[in-house]
Amino acid sequence: MKKDTHPAYHTIKVQMTDGTVFETRSTWGKEGDLMTLDIDPLAHPAWTGGRGQMLDAGGQVARFNKRFGGLTLGKK
């Protein structure tokens, strides 16, 4: 195997938006660096599976359904 092909894997500290800090291993930064999160993974819908909403901007969904509403993917 080639030498020095993998990035350094070391311990860093991660600070959550509520101020709590935990240690993890990462290739980010240098040994002992502090990563500060801008978005809280404990509350953000991307991580918690929050309810998504379909927004109808200017009737785009209605226009789509009017044009393609009768399409089916199955056989008749």
Side-chain angles (χ1 to χ4, degrees), residues 7-59:
Y9 192 60
H10 48 268
T11 304
I12 64 166
K13 292 181 181 179
V14 178
Q15 182 177 7
M16 306 292 276
T17 55
D18 65 357
T20 58
V21 177
F22 67 93
E23 284 190 5
T24 188
R25 292 180 50 85
S26 175
T27 58
W28 179 85
K30 297 183 292 281
E31 179 78 28
D33 279 355
L34 177 67
M35 177 187 284
T36 306
L37 297 181
D38 293 335
I39 299 173
D40 190 358
L42 300 176
H44 195 278
W47 286 279
T48 60
R51 186 173 63 90
Q53 294 179 327
M54 181 165 44
L55 300 176
D56 187 7

Side-chain angles (χ1 to χ4, degrees), residues 1-9 27:
M1 289 181 65
K2 293 182 181 179
K3 293 185 184 265
D4 301 325
T5 58
H6 297 286
Y9 192 60
T27 58

